Amino acid sequence: HKDLPSGRGYVFLTESGSVSAVISGGSNADGWKKWQQSWEGKEGMDSLSDSDIDAMLDKVECIMLQREVPEYVNLLIASKAKQRGNTLVIQDVGGEDRPISTDMLRLCDYIIPNETELNRLVEGMGMPASTQKIKDEDEFVVAQAKFLQAKGAQNVLVTRGSNGSTLITTKGDVIRQLALRLPKNKVIDET
């Protein structure tokens, strides 16, 4: 938005190569009045029309959503994309630390959290204490992803740093991918 400051992300690097980030939303957090009006079903000068959104989605086959914009922006785009029926919707869970709605989970073909984000999501959605007793790290990640699927998620791809990634598909398949091993002292940071 031309009248608002740009958003910024600050990444802090530790000696081990792991990172921590702080995000200042700026225009990513504000400047969405037309989108909000549209999501709330209010028509007029301060809302987007269906044809505006259709024009944005024209010839788009895949949308990658992120959590640094208000939830209603993602909900509006994902719901319109799903109505069109030909657009893959991917939700990167990084960004703002907030709950994700079951509506958003249902609209996305893929939900992609890292392990920390996955923990926050399932804790915020009331994951049963019995699941938290699982000691095996890999089994725990799978149980958390299946919990998200029970809440409406389709495919859950968990990025796991040096442990690679784990994909839990809508069919219940669990696919593990090992991390690529790089030469020692060549990795500057994990981002």
Side-chain angles (χ1 to χ4, degrees), residues 126-134 140 147:
M127 188 177 80
S130 61
T131 307
Q132 296 177 4
K133 293 178 183 177
I134 297 172
F140 186 56
F147 175 79

Side-chain angles (χ1 to χ4, degrees), residues 5-154:
S6 176
R8 293 187 177 146
Y10 302 94
V11 179
F12 302 97
L13 176 63
T14 66
E15 286 184 29
S16 70
S18 64
V19 296
S20 179
V22 175
I23 297 168
S24 171
S27 59
N28 276 350
D30 296 315
W32 297 97
K33 184 177 181 181
K34 287 185 176 188
W35 292 78
Q36 184 174 13
Q37 299 290 331
S38 298
W39 179 249
E40 293 172 354
K42 299 175 183 172
E43 295 180 19
M45 295 291 291
D46 287 334
S47 67
L48 295 169
S49 68
D50 283 345
S51 61
D52 291 334
I53 298 168
D54 280 339
M56 287 179 219
L57 295 174
D58 192 36
K59 298 180 184 175
V60 171
E61 295 177 11
C62 181
I63 296 173
M64 176 83 150
L65 303 172
Q66 49 91 1
R67 310 260 306 148
E68 294 169 14
V69 298
E71 180 93 346
Y72 58 81
V73 175
N74 286 337
L75 284 164
L76 185 59
I77 288 291
S79 63
K80 296 296 183 186
K82 283 308 192 192
Q83 286 174 8
R84 294 169 65 95
N86 64 342
T87 307
L88 180 68
V89 179
I90 301 171
Q91 174 72 67
D92 174 22
V93 180
E96 191 174 314
D97 179 13
R98 65 177 184 239
I100 191 167
S101 69
T102 54
D103 289 337
M104 192 75 236
L105 290 176
R106 286 186 195 101
L107 288 168
C108 295
D109 297 293
Y110 287 84
I111 301 291
I112 308 175
N114 64 31
E115 287 177 288
T116 303
E117 295 158 350
L118 179 63
N119 280 323
R120 284 195 305 247
L121 282 177
V122 298
E123 285 174 9
M125 298 182 97
M127 188 177 80
S130 61
T131 307
Q132 296 177 4
K133 293 178 183 177
I134 297 172
K135 298 295 182 206
D136 181 79
E137 194 175 303
D138 192 52
E139 287 180 33
F140 186 56
V141 165
V142 172
Q144 289 177 309
K146 287 183 176 183
F147 175 79
L148 282 184
Q149 288 178 319
K151 296 289 186 178
Q154 295 178 51

